[in-house]
Amino acid sequence: MNVRIDPAALPLVAALNDPVNLSRRRFLASTAVGALVIGFGLPLGSGRVQAATAAAAGERGTQVPAFLEIRPDNTIRLLSPFIEGGQGTFTAMAQIIGEELDADPATFLVECAPPGEAFVVMENGMRITGGSMSVRMSYPTMRRLGALARAMLLEAGAQALKVPVGELSTEPGKVVHAASGRSLTYGELAGRAMDLPVPDVASVKLRDPSQFRWIGKPVKRLDAYDKSTGKALYSIDMKVDGMLHAAVQHAPRLGMTVGSLRNENQVKAMPGVHSVHRLPGAVAVVAERWWHAKRAVESIQVDWLEPTADSTVRGMPKDFSSDEHFKRLAAETGPARDDENEGDVAGTLANAKTKIEATYHNQYLHHAQLEPPSALARFNADGSLEIWLPNQAQDMFLADIAKRTGLDPSRITLHSPLLGGFFGRHFLYDSASPYPQAIELAKAVGRPVKLIWSREEEFLRDVLRPVAAVNFRGALDSDGWPVAIEAVSATEGPTEALAGKQGEKLDPTALEGLSGKSYAIPNKRIAQIYVKGPVMLGYWRSVGNSLNDFFYEAFLDELADKGGKDPFELRLHLLRDNPRLTTLLKAVGELSGGWKRGPFVAEDGSKRARGVAMASPFGTQTAVIAEVSIENGQVKVHDIWQAIDPGSIVNPAIVEAQVNGAVSLGLSQVLLEEAVYVDGLPRARNYDLYPVLPPSRMARVHVRVIESGEKMGGIGEPPLPAVAPAVANAVATLTGQRIRSMPLSRYSFT
């Protein structure tokens, strides 16, 4: 696919037209004078792999996935394949590449790369920023990129200093000839390096981890200064010459269409109004200023029409109630499809003397990110389109824009600014993004249009975190240890929701956190009953793990209590043949000062208890202990201790920041957050009726990172799932009241 991208990358794109052999010498020249631009390829599709030489057949990809520009002033421009939304990806990319290049990450200027196959660098051949995949899926690729650039600079240094390349070494930002005491900066060598071929990938040796200068160190965030001084630009900040502003009013329920506008002429006469527009399921006002557009569009009196019988839009029934929907899910009996079925679950449950059954459910959740959705669209004189929008998947959005507009992708320029909040909100959701509206409005008025959804419109059209009701059955042996567990979840996964139907295979996002547990329970069955609901669903931080680990880990505590076992000791017993998880569980116990369940009296005189839970999402292992009390009828979480094992890490400061952020979101979902529907309408249209965790209810967070050396896992999402069950288990111990749903604000505590 041909894509319009930054001019500095044009030579890079031209190089892609050649069949690529990874052992072939290649060079890419930048449009910047005296700058070195370097890239290398790793395989993608099977067709390309077959076309590659036998030597390259085992590699991934045959397109250049990333490139560096080394400037004369020794700064380094990096086009990151991934989006920065506060998770620290830009800094991590600079650390990884800088380590092998031998360049201080502080000298990097990182920008988001445009769409295009050239920037697909992950092991799985995808290009999204989500699923905690960015660093762990591109780590080898980014290291090799830095190593290739360093090799070229060493060769350039050898020519400039007229010495064998073997006599040279590097120090941060320069090539050094120790014998003569001479050195040259990378910027000084960039011009000469431009005339050199890119070495064969196989000839480049990566640093031994014992020599790392920056990987594994708490390198300062590259984006911190601009964000703290207000210099960082988000989509909502973008401006272009001649730009108009737009605001929308959506139909109260999805599937409704626009009828008559009873006061259209009066609205058109309001100050600053340029025009009024009918859109699918919405009306819009375009004005010289956004505030004028917002006031005008909110004053429009619309006769909304109910969806017709043949409507293809997923509609919301007038009488839909989220509470009634939970009851329906809990009563579902089948048919179910198994994801796991080991041993003889039915026989063990039938013959066991000690059994337990319980039904759990969770709540719908908004993303509620800080930055409201926005998009800026501009059609140029030649008919090409330029668009700025927050997104987590540049290529997917480019393809969708091309499909909607009929434009060739080469005539579309997509800018991906910093994100003002991630959480899975910025994927391709048909009815939950303003960019189709911005494009339509820009085309209609013949000028650039920036559309911003108000907070109320965002709450109305946000895709929600899915809900499930899980019916558990468990059996214990004569000694009180679990020997069977069955979990049947009535739910619709987010991937199924986006497809509009159940697929031939189970949606892995529907059952993750229930399936794949490492506990040594010999008989287990995990299954899904597919139940399609009317709410538009989307991905939420840690996806299915955010609810399913709550269900499983809380029910595991019920099994422990039924068998007379301490829940911490029960987990140790069930993990006795898993050294990695045993080490992790013991580590969180040590971090908390030694496991004690309670109830017990704290130094301040409050009655407290602790809960424990574990989770294994996105290739990372976590263990959490929570300490709680009850104050004025509310749960107060005093401390969260989390031990996390991502295998290996790039930046411990970013890891700790991610754990803190994930803990706050995990606490918010278990204590407060819920999206409630009554009569087909959301109860909350802003934060007043959708409270999120305030600073006064944030716990102290204690983090221990354990690098087991296993394959690198994710870090942005894994710290969240075990928080909710650890809190729920602590509350159950403290109050004697079993917690089987979220949020805890629905419970009464004294």
Side-chain angles (χ1 to χ4, degrees):
M1 179 171 63
N2 294 320
V3 184
R4 274 189 66 192
I5 65 174
D6 188 280
L10 292 177
L12 176 76
V13 176
L16 298 180
N17 294 325
D18 270 342
V20 178
N21 181 331
L22 288 180
S23 64
R24 177 182 175 186
R25 294 181 172 184
R26 294 179 295 140
F27 167 75
L28 303 169
S30 162
T31 56
V33 176
L36 166 65
V37 177
I38 180 171
F40 73 100
L42 296 177
L44 262 188
S46 58
R48 280 287 197 174
V49 171
Q50 292 169 3
T53 63
E59 307 265 2
R60 286 202 65 81
T62 55
Q63 295 192 41
V64 178
F67 68 88
L68 297 168
E69 178 188 323
I70 300 176
R71 295 173 172 175
D73 65 357
N74 237 32
T75 58
I76 301 169
R77 179 177 182 254
L78 165 65
L79 287 187
S80 168
F82 307 107
I83 306 288
E84 177 63 63
Q87 80 281 36
T89 294
F90 279 7
T91 305
M93 292 294 111
Q95 280 183 260
I96 298 166
I97 295 170
E99 187 65 70
E100 298 295 342
L101 177 59
D102 205 357
D104 190 333
T107 64
F108 278 66
L109 305 171
V110 187
E111 303 169 15
C112 181
E117 193 176 351
F119 298 101
V120 177
V121 299
M122 295 198 298
E123 294 174 0
N124 58 10
M126 299 174 65
R127 188 188 177 193
I128 65 170
T129 307
S132 290
M133 289 190 285
S134 300
V135 172
R136 64 182 171 122
M137 291 288 186
S138 69
Y139 184 70
T141 304
M142 295 294 99
R143 285 186 67 189
R144 285 193 287 258
L145 177 60
L148 283 169
R150 179 175 178 270
M152 293 179 69
L153 289 161
L154 282 168
E155 183 61 35
Q159 293 182 11
L161 297 173
K162 297 181 172 31
V163 297
V165 71
E167 293 183 8
L168 297 177
S169 61
T170 59
E171 293 179 6
K174 60 184 178 181
V175 171
V176 177
H177 185 239
S180 65
R182 292 177 295 166
S183 66
L184 291 169
T185 67
Y186 287 173
E188 291 172 320
L189 290 170
R192 184 181 292 269
M194 289 179 66
D195 297 326
L196 298 175
V198 177
D200 189 295
V201 173
S203 69
V204 176
K205 184 179 180 181
L206 301 181
R207 287 182 184 271
D208 186 274
S210 64
Q211 299 176 328
F212 283 170
R213 293 178 186 263
W214 296 290
I215 291 178
K217 306 299 190 299
V219 170
K220 183 180 178 181
R221 286 279 294 266
L222 300 183
D223 55 343
Y225 179 80
D226 282 355
K227 288 180 176 178
S228 61
T229 58
K231 293 182 179 180
L233 294 178
Y234 300 86
S235 178
I236 199 171
D237 300 314
M238 297 301 166
K239 298 177 182 179
V240 297
D241 291 340
M243 182 178 75
L244 292 168
H245 296 263
V248 295
Q249 178 192 157
H250 289 106
R253 286 181 284 110
L254 198 64
M256 302 177 80
T257 55
V258 180
S260 62
L261 308 183
R262 282 174 278 167
N263 60 340
E264 183 173 2
N265 289 333
Q266 293 95 315
V267 172
K268 288 180 177 178
M270 291 179 69
V273 170
H274 176 279
S275 50
V276 176
H277 303 264
R278 291 167 171 80
L279 302 171
V283 293
V285 170
V286 176
E288 295 295 335
R289 301 177 66 179
W290 185 76
W291 185 248
H292 289 151
K294 179 180 184 294
R295 292 189 65 183
V297 80
E298 289 176 347
S299 68
I300 297 179
Q301 299 171 14
V302 186
D303 291 324
W304 296 105
L305 305 178
E306 293 291 336
T308 59
D310 61 349
S311 174
T312 58
V313 178
R314 187 170 181 155
M316 171 68 71
K318 292 181 183 179
D319 60 350
F320 177 74
S321 160
S322 49
D323 284 355
E324 292 302 315
H325 185 60
F326 301 151
K327 295 176 183 178
R328 174 195 170 196
L329 292 176
E332 286 287 347
T333 58
R337 292 200 296 181
D338 290 351
D339 190 34
E340 288 184 1
N341 198 333
E342 298 179 12
D344 182 9
V345 175
T348 305
L349 287 167
N351 297 321
K353 292 183 179 180
T354 306
K355 293 178 283 191
I356 183 171
E357 297 184 6
T359 299
Y360 283 74
H361 75 81
N362 67 301
Q363 76 281 44
Y364 288 117
L365 291 177
H366 282 289
H367 291 88
Q369 78 283 351
L370 183 62
E371 179 189 12
S374 64
L376 169 57
R378 175 175 66 189
F379 283 92
N380 298 314
D382 62 358
S384 63
L385 171 64
E386 196 165 4
I387 186 163
W388 292 257
L389 62 93
N391 70 86
Q392 293 179 240
Q394 301 97 310
D395 297 295
M396 292 182 187
F397 275 82
L398 181 70
D400 186 71
I401 294 167
K403 181 179 179 181
R404 289 176 183 274
T405 61
L407 291 172
D408 187 274
S410 64
R411 294 176 58 75
I412 301 169
T413 301
L414 171 61
H415 301 278
S416 302
L418 295 171
L419 295 183
F422 246 98
F423 320 126
R425 175 62 180 88
H426 299 293
F427 283 114
L428 200 62
Y429 306 122
D430 186 60
S431 61
S433 178
Y435 73 90
Q437 298 170 339
I439 292 170
E440 186 171 339
L441 293 172
K443 188 172 184 179
V445 303
R447 288 172 61 182
V449 172
K450 180 165 74 173
L451 169 62
I452 302 173
W453 284 4
S454 68
R455 188 71 66 187
E456 289 75 16
E457 297 306 315
E458 155 67 349
F459 269 78
L460 185 63
R461 281 293 177 266
D462 186 17
V463 290
L464 304 185
R465 197 271 300 269
V467 295
V470 181
N471 289 311
F472 283 99
R473 295 195 297 164
L476 306 176
D477 64 15
S478 58
D479 294 324
W481 300 113
V483 290
I485 186 169
E486 180 183 67
V488 181
S489 176
T491 189
E492 178 183 25
T495 304
E496 292 170 329
L498 290 173
K501 61 181 180 180
Q502 188 178 34
E504 294 182 3
K505 296 182 179 180
L506 284 167
D507 178 357
T509 61
L511 296 177
E512 58 187 0
L514 289 173
S515 300
K517 289 290 189 180
S518 297
Y519 299 118
I521 300 176
N523 305 285
K524 53 188 175 183
R525 177 182 178 232
I526 309 297
Q528 179 195 7
I529 301 172
Y530 173 68
V531 182
K532 184 176 182 178
V535 174
M536 289 300 296
L537 304 178
Y539 302 104
W540 197 83
R541 191 169 183 176
S542 76
V543 201
N545 297 279
S546 68
L547 51 142
N548 290 323
D549 278 301
F550 164 75
F551 302 145
Y552 195 104
E553 291 289 313
F555 184 68
L556 196 61
D557 262 37
E558 291 202 50
L559 291 175
D561 288 341
K562 190 72 172 180
K565 306 296 184 185
D566 176 90
F568 192 91
E569 297 301 324
L570 177 86
R571 287 170 172 82
L572 280 176
H573 175 79
L574 296 177
L575 297 171
R576 60 193 180 275
D577 296 323
N578 191 317
R580 184 183 183 187
L581 292 184
T582 297
T583 297
L584 190 71
L585 185 57
K586 289 180 177 179
V588 78
E590 294 169 1
L591 183 65
S592 68
W595 165 254
K596 53 179 179 179
R597 190 183 189 191
F600 56 87
V601 178
E603 291 182 0
D604 63 359
S606 62
K607 184 180 178 182
R608 301 186 186 184
R610 291 182 178 180
V612 62
M614 303 186 75
S616 303
F618 305 100
T620 290
Q621 308 294 334
T622 66
V624 171
I625 290 175
E627 183 171 306
V628 308
S629 68
I630 304 296
E631 293 186 4
N632 301 318
Q634 284 188 337
V635 174
K636 181 174 179 60
V637 184
H638 296 272
D639 292 274
I640 293 289
W641 295 273
Q642 179 152 176
I644 182 165
D645 177 5
S648 60
I649 63 172
V650 172
N651 188 320
I654 289 177
V655 173
E656 185 160 352
Q658 286 282 29
V659 172
N660 275 266
V663 166
S664 67
L665 195 56
L667 289 177
S668 195
Q669 73 146 341
V670 72
L671 297 177
L672 290 169
E673 289 190 41
E674 63 172 333
V676 178
Y677 276 76
V678 179
D679 296 331
L681 300 175
R683 183 179 67 186
R685 294 287 296 273
N686 210 319
Y687 292 113
D688 55 344
L689 295 178
Y690 188 86
V692 297
L693 189 77
S696 61
R697 298 192 70 180
M698 181 61 184
R700 293 182 294 265
V701 180
H702 316 267
V703 183
R704 177 173 293 177
V705 179
I706 297 174
E707 293 188 81
S708 63
E710 300 288 335
K711 184 177 180 180
M712 182 182 285
I715 200 60
E717 303 183 79
L720 188 147
V723 172
V727 171
N729 290 336
V731 172
T733 296
L734 183 63
T735 65
Q737 185 176 355
R738 182 53 58 187
I739 306 300
R740 291 175 175 165
S741 64
M742 297 186 286
L744 295 180
S745 58
R746 289 243 179 170
Y747 289 77
S748 297
F749 300 110
T750 58

